[in-house]
Amino acid sequence: MTESEQPSVPLSTLLADPTLGLRQIAGPAEKHRVRISTVGTTEIEDPTPYLVGGELLLTAGVRLPLDAEGSDTYVRQVAAAGVSALGFGVAPVHEEVPPELIAACDRHGLPLLRLPPATPFVAVGQAAYAAIAEARNRELREISRAQSALATAAARPDALRSVLAQLSAHTGAWAVLYDAQGTELFSAGPRPASPTPGRVRDLAVRTIARVRARTGPAGRAAPAAAADHEGRTHLTVHTLPGADGDGTTTTLALGQAATTAPTLVHRQVTGTATVLLALLTSPRHALGTDTHSAGALVRLMLGAAPAEVAPALARADTTEAERCWVVVHGRHTPPHSTQASRPGAHPGGDPAQLATLATALVTPYLQVDGAELKALVPSAPDARPEAPAQAADLGWVLGFSTPAPASDLPHADRRAARALRCAIAAEVPSVVHTEDPLTVHGLVPAADARELARTRFAPLDRAGAAGASVLLDTLRTWLTLHGSWDRTAATLHVHRNTVRHRLARVGELLDVDLQDAGVRMELWFALRWLPEGADEADE
């Protein structure tokens, strides 16, 4: 334990105790800044070999030099040894505090206390230790309350955000979680003015890089911490203990910025938060491998229908009528991603990405395969999905279905896929599937619309090797992207000439001119009316 972590009380606490009758007669006036961690008594001429720092050193001046030079030497030595204050007991040796000692304490900035004859040195020690014990108990109670709040936050659906919020509330610092590239995943508390956020980010990136550099191929390095300060701004960074999914060192760091130096309480609370954040961002937690999920997986693999298994995955406090799901599809398309530049790197292999997305979407049911994402989000029937800002910050474009019961999940899956295609086409972070009856679709009877669509696309069954579903998907994507060959090719991950060949085949089989705007409009409505299951479209 360092000196700053020793239990201590302000000198002002002892001066305010009326039973002691202490009075400061020399030294600096900022009594609340001087802290006492122990009380010692000595009458030797040079006590410095026996001092540890932080003492209130008591003396009756039995062997104190009486001349100005001797007093100056004595005060200079004990001040250099770290004594916090000097207490002088008047009588029986000296009737009053020597003026030479007062002058020396003023000169060296050492607080000097006058102890009246009726105050035993032992009483001063007892009062100091009682005050220190009470202060320590207050610290322990504060730590206990903070740890309880952090544990409660860790059990919430938005665990990462909640833990950071509690950490900020109990430390008074801006708290932020970074990945290895310095991407700000979550933050809580008042955001400091520039350039402080950038300095915290740079410190976090350097600290993570230092931890990785110490890691050998056979194991993981211990977490590291770093600190920096400029003026009244104190910066700290702690890397999270643990390992990535591939066994390499942690890729997350907790950063803090505060206007006061960290106290013992703050360090203890930060330590607890660091451990909780490490657990919450571990691959096991990010994938939600709890007993209910495992049991549901077993039942699915043994032949149970999704509608039978869904209640085991929903919240316990919801009724059957309230148990709906939103299906999410996503594609990772960062414009300038540091991660993408690393060979073999992909979001699905990073537990930080998994934990961040799972927390942002408020679900553990998340699957990332390379640049593709699918998720199931528990939802109320009348809730409207909202895309989290963290997903867009990490380079994800998302498509959301409307809430659907478990029995309708295949339809919801197609709605999410369509919403994702629309989001990519419109170059927006997310799109939520909507069904508005006040459209042309609501004016055409559903049975007639489906029959028209079947008849219109029936010739595609003669497509041969290309397959009707491939041609339909290409046509839909091309129409969604307003006839752009290059964007359609990029979306489907094929060459632009492949797109041209497929659409030429569509025009040939349907006997239409795809350059005609009226034809394209007719085909677009027919695609919307195509029955569920005929391809991946949905009404």
Side-chain angles (χ1 to χ4, degrees):
M1 182 179 291
T2 65
E3 179 182 336
S4 61
E5 293 175 332
Q6 292 282 353
S8 62
V9 292
L11 177 60
S12 57
T13 300
L14 298 179
L15 291 171
D17 189 338
T19 64
L20 298 179
L22 305 181
R23 181 165 57 89
Q24 183 174 347
I25 58 176
E30 297 87 357
K31 307 175 186 64
H32 62 284
R33 295 189 177 181
V34 178
R35 303 191 67 86
I36 305 300
S37 58
T38 187
V39 177
T41 301
T42 181
E43 297 299 343
I44 61 177
E45 295 179 10
D46 181 12
T48 54
Y50 310 100
L51 301 176
V52 295
E55 297 96 344
L56 168 57
L57 188 63
L58 304 180
T59 180
V62 174
R63 303 186 65 179
L64 185 70
L66 297 179
D67 60 314
E69 183 179 354
S71 295
D72 186 85
T73 300
Y74 180 85
V75 172
R76 185 180 69 253
Q77 289 176 335
V78 297
V83 166
S84 295
L86 186 64
F88 193 91
V90 296
V93 180
H94 296 272
E95 293 299 325
E96 197 50 68
V97 181
E100 294 83 4
L101 184 63
I102 296 175
C105 286
D106 276 330
R107 191 161 44 249
H108 292 285
L110 182 66
L112 176 61
L113 310 186
R114 179 186 184 278
L115 278 68
T119 300
F121 286 4
V122 172
V124 176
Q126 289 176 338
Y129 296 135
I132 289 172
E134 176 56 29
R136 183 58 174 163
N137 287 334
R138 285 197 301 270
E139 290 178 343
L140 293 175
R141 288 193 295 269
E142 186 177 347
I143 292 171
S144 178
R145 286 193 298 267
Q147 289 176 337
S148 177
L150 288 169
T152 301
R156 290 175 53 89
D158 55 343
L160 290 177
R161 187 183 291 107
S162 296
V163 168
L164 286 178
Q166 288 298 327
L167 175 61
S168 176
H170 286 275
T171 61
W174 178 60
V176 56
L177 190 64
Y178 293 106
D179 67 10
Q181 286 73 45
T183 304
E184 186 178 310
L185 305 179
F186 295 101
S187 67
R191 188 179 187 87
S194 181
T196 298
R199 291 176 54 211
V200 180
R201 175 190 178 277
D202 293 343
L203 184 61
V205 172
R206 292 197 305 270
T207 305
I208 291 176
R210 188 168 68 250
V211 171
R212 284 180 159 178
R214 294 203 310 262
T215 306
R220 68 183 72 166
D228 190 11
H229 67 89
E230 181 178 280
R232 294 187 60 189
T233 303
H234 297 261
L235 313 180
T236 56
V237 163
H238 296 79
T239 62
L240 302 192
D244 293 345
D246 58 0
T248 57
T249 300
T250 179
T251 58
L252 290 182
L254 169 65
Q256 292 173 286
T259 56
T260 58
T263 65
L264 172 62
V265 172
H266 294 166
R267 285 190 288 270
Q268 292 282 354
V269 173
T270 299
T272 300
T274 301
V275 173
L276 287 174
L277 291 170
L279 293 173
L280 292 170
T281 55
S282 67
R284 180 176 296 276
H285 185 276
L287 295 174
T289 52
D290 55 75
T291 55
H292 291 289
S293 301
L297 176 62
V298 171
R299 292 174 62 189
L300 280 175
M301 295 186 70
L302 295 179
E308 299 175 23
V309 172
L313 304 179
R315 295 202 326 264
D317 60 348
T318 57
T319 65
E320 184 174 355
E322 296 173 327
R323 291 170 184 167
C324 286
W325 300 86
V326 170
V327 179
V328 184
H329 282 218
R331 179 166 303 169
H332 194 246
T333 56
H336 303 290
S337 172
T338 305
Q339 180 183 21
S341 65
R342 289 188 287 134
H346 56 82
D350 188 352
Q353 288 263 2
L354 286 174
T356 302
L357 289 170
T359 299
L361 292 170
V362 197
T363 180
Y365 309 119
L366 180 75
Q367 189 253 344
V368 178
D369 183 9
E372 304 295 328
L373 172 153
K374 288 187 178 182
L376 282 173
V377 181
S379 173
D382 56 350
R384 176 172 175 81
E386 294 185 2
Q390 287 84 1
D393 293 341
L394 293 172
W396 288 96
V397 179
L398 302 178
F400 294 81
S401 75
T402 48
S407 58
D408 199 32
L409 282 178
H411 294 172
D413 185 51
R414 286 188 283 272
R415 296 183 185 113
R418 168 174 291 175
L420 175 61
R421 286 195 293 267
C422 291
I424 294 174
E427 298 182 345
V428 295
S430 65
V431 166
V432 178
H433 177 84
T434 58
E435 296 180 89
D436 186 357
L438 299 177
T439 66
V440 68
H441 304 288
L443 302 177
V444 180
D448 293 344
R450 286 193 295 270
E451 183 60 30
L452 184 151
R454 286 195 189 96
T455 303
R456 194 71 189 86
F457 293 114
L460 296 185
D461 292 338
R462 304 193 304 270
S469 62
V470 172
L471 295 182
L472 285 170
D473 189 44
T474 303
L475 175 62
R476 179 181 296 102
T477 304
W478 182 70
L479 292 174
T480 299
L481 297 173
H482 310 292
S484 171
W485 306 100
D486 292 332
R487 292 170 64 191
T488 302
T491 301
L492 297 176
H493 303 293
V494 297
H495 195 275
R496 68 194 308 270
N497 289 340
T498 301
V499 175
R500 289 183 177 274
H501 174 76
R502 290 177 182 176
L503 292 175
R505 183 65 172 150
V506 169
E508 176 186 342
L509 290 172
L510 299 183
D511 191 23
V512 295
D513 179 9
L514 293 179
Q515 300 307 312
D516 187 318
V519 169
R520 292 200 297 271
M521 180 180 67
E522 175 197 346
L523 293 179
W524 176 251
F525 283 123
L527 283 170
R528 296 291 303 274
W529 292 328
L530 200 62
E532 296 280 5
D535 75 330
E536 292 187 355
D538 177 51
E539 201 280 308

Coordinates of all heavy atoms in Angstrom, one line a residue, residues 331 421 470-471 473-478 481 486-495 498-499 502:
R331 N -24.9 -5.9 -42.1 CA -23.7 -6.1 -42.9 C -22.6 -5.1 -42.4 O -22.9 -3.9 -42.2 CB -24.0 -5.9 -44.4 CG -22.7 -6.1 -45.2 CD -23.0 -6.2 -46.7 NE -23.9 -7.3 -47.0 CZ -24.5 -7.5 -48.1 NH1 -24.3 -6.6 -49.1 NH2 -25.3 -8.5 -48.3
R421 N -31.4 -4.7 -47.3 CA -31.2 -4.4 -48.6 C -31.6 -2.9 -48.9 O -30.9 -2.2 -49.6 CB -31.9 -5.3 -49.6 CG -31.3 -6.7 -49.7 CD -31.9 -7.4 -50.9 NE -33.3 -7.7 -50.8 CZ -33.7 -8.9 -50.3 NH1 -32.9 -9.8 -49.8 NH2 -35.0 -9.1 -50.2
V470 N -32.3 -17.1 -57.9 CA -31.2 -16.2 -58.2 C -31.6 -15.0 -59.1 O -31.2 -13.9 -58.8 CB -30.0 -17.0 -58.8 CG1 -28.9 -16.1 -59.2 CG2 -29.5 -18.0 -57.8
L471 N -32.3 -15.3 -60.1 CA -32.8 -14.3 -61.0 C -33.7 -13.3 -60.3 O -33.6 -12.1 -60.5 CB -33.5 -14.9 -62.3 CG -32.6 -15.7 -63.2 CD1 -33.4 -16.2 -64.4 CD2 -31.3 -15.0 -63.6
D473 N -33.8 -12.6 -57.1 CA -33.0 -11.8 -56.1 C -32.2 -10.7 -56.8 O -32.1 -9.6 -56.4 CB -32.1 -12.7 -55.3 CG -31.4 -12.0 -54.2 OD1 -32.1 -11.2 -53.5 OD2 -30.2 -12.2 -54.0
T474 N -31.6 -11.1 -58.0 CA -30.9 -10.1 -58.8 C -31.8 -9.0 -59.3 O -31.4 -7.8 -59.2 CB -30.2 -10.8 -60.0 OG1 -29.3 -11.8 -59.5 CG2 -29.3 -9.8 -60.7
L475 N -33.0 -9.4 -59.8 CA -33.9 -8.4 -60.3 C -34.3 -7.4 -59.1 O -34.4 -6.2 -59.3 CB -35.1 -9.1 -60.9 CG -36.3 -8.1 -61.3 CD1 -35.8 -7.2 -62.5 CD2 -37.5 -9.0 -61.8
R476 N -34.7 -8.0 -58.0 CA -35.1 -7.2 -56.9 C -34.0 -6.2 -56.4 O -34.3 -5.0 -56.2 CB -35.5 -8.0 -55.7 CG -36.0 -7.2 -54.5 CD -36.4 -8.1 -53.3 NE -37.5 -8.9 -53.6 CZ -37.5 -10.2 -53.9 NH1 -36.3 -10.8 -53.9 NH2 -38.6 -10.9 -54.2
T477 N -32.8 -6.7 -56.3 CA -31.7 -5.8 -55.9 C -31.4 -4.7 -56.9 O -31.2 -3.6 -56.5 CB -30.4 -6.7 -55.7 OG1 -30.7 -7.7 -54.7 CG2 -29.3 -5.8 -55.2
W478 N -31.5 -5.1 -58.2 CA -31.2 -4.1 -59.2 C -32.3 -3.0 -59.2 O -32.0 -1.8 -59.3 CB -31.2 -4.8 -60.6 CG -30.9 -3.9 -61.8 CD1 -29.7 -3.3 -62.1 CD2 -31.9 -3.6 -62.8 NE1 -29.9 -2.6 -63.2 CE2 -31.2 -2.7 -63.7 CE3 -33.2 -3.9 -63.0 CZ2 -31.8 -2.2 -64.8 CZ3 -33.8 -3.3 -64.2 CH2 -33.1 -2.5 -65.0
L481 N -31.8 -0.7 -56.2 CA -30.7 0.2 -56.4 C -30.9 1.1 -57.6 O -29.9 1.6 -58.1 CB -29.4 -0.6 -56.4 CG -29.1 -1.4 -55.2 CD1 -27.9 -2.3 -55.4 CD2 -28.8 -0.4 -54.0
D486 N -23.3 -1.4 -61.0 CA -22.1 -1.5 -60.1 C -22.6 -1.8 -58.7 O -22.0 -2.6 -58.0 CB -21.2 -0.3 -60.2 CG -20.5 -0.1 -61.6 OD1 -20.3 -1.2 -62.2 OD2 -20.3 1.0 -62.0
R487 N -23.5 -1.0 -58.2 CA -24.0 -1.2 -56.8 C -24.7 -2.5 -56.6 O -24.6 -3.1 -55.6 CB -24.9 0.0 -56.4 CG -24.2 1.3 -56.3 CD -25.1 2.5 -56.1 NE -25.9 2.4 -54.9 CZ -26.9 3.1 -54.6 NH1 -27.4 4.0 -55.5 NH2 -27.6 3.0 -53.5
T488 N -25.4 -3.0 -57.7 CA -26.0 -4.3 -57.6 C -25.0 -5.4 -57.5 O -25.1 -6.3 -56.7 CB -26.9 -4.5 -58.8 OG1 -27.9 -3.5 -58.8 CG2 -27.6 -5.9 -58.7
A489 N -23.9 -5.3 -58.3 CA -22.8 -6.2 -58.3 C -22.1 -6.2 -56.9 O -21.8 -7.3 -56.4 CB -21.8 -5.9 -59.4
A490 N -21.9 -5.0 -56.4 CA -21.2 -5.0 -55.1 C -22.1 -5.6 -54.0 O -21.6 -6.3 -53.1 CB -20.9 -3.5 -54.7
T491 N -23.4 -5.3 -54.0 CA -24.3 -5.9 -53.0 C -24.4 -7.4 -53.1 O -24.5 -8.1 -52.1 CB -25.7 -5.2 -53.2 OG1 -25.6 -3.8 -53.1 CG2 -26.7 -5.8 -52.1
L492 N -24.4 -7.9 -54.3 CA -24.6 -9.4 -54.5 C -23.2 -10.1 -54.5 O -23.2 -11.3 -54.6 CB -25.3 -9.7 -55.8 CG -26.8 -9.2 -55.9 CD1 -27.3 -9.4 -57.2 CD2 -27.6 -9.8 -54.8
H493 N -22.1 -9.3 -54.4 CA -20.8 -9.9 -54.4 C -20.5 -10.7 -55.7 O -20.0 -11.8 -55.7 CB -20.5 -10.8 -53.2 CG -20.8 -10.1 -51.9 ND1 -19.9 -9.1 -51.4 CD2 -21.7 -10.3 -50.9 CE1 -20.4 -8.7 -50.3 NE2 -21.5 -9.3 -49.9
V494 N -20.9 -10.1 -56.8 CA -20.7 -10.8 -58.1 C -20.1 -9.7 -59.1 O -20.1 -8.5 -58.8 CB -21.9 -11.4 -58.7 CG1 -22.5 -12.5 -57.8 CG2 -23.0 -10.3 -58.9
H495 N -19.7 -10.1 -60.2 CA -19.1 -9.2 -61.2 C -20.3 -8.5 -61.9 O -21.4 -9.0 -62.1 CB -18.3 -9.9 -62.3 CG -17.4 -9.0 -63.1 ND1 -17.9 -8.4 -64.2 CD2 -16.1 -8.6 -63.0 CE1 -17.0 -7.6 -64.8 NE2 -15.9 -7.8 -64.0
T498 N -21.9 -10.3 -64.6 CA -22.9 -11.3 -64.2 C -24.2 -10.8 -64.0 O -25.3 -11.4 -64.3 CB -22.3 -12.0 -62.9 OG1 -21.0 -12.5 -63.1 CG2 -23.3 -13.1 -62.4
V499 N -24.3 -9.6 -63.4 CA -25.6 -8.9 -63.2 C -26.2 -8.6 -64.6 O -27.4 -8.9 -64.8 CB -25.4 -7.6 -62.5 CG1 -26.7 -6.8 -62.4 CG2 -24.9 -7.8 -61.1
R502 N -27.6 -11.9 -66.0 CA -28.8 -12.4 -65.3 C -30.0 -11.6 -65.7 O -31.1 -12.1 -66.0 CB -28.6 -12.3 -63.8 CG -27.6 -13.4 -63.3 CD -27.5 -13.2 -61.8 NE -26.5 -14.1 -61.2 CZ -26.1 -14.1 -59.9 NH1 -26.6 -13.2 -59.1 NH2 -25.2 -15.0 -59.5

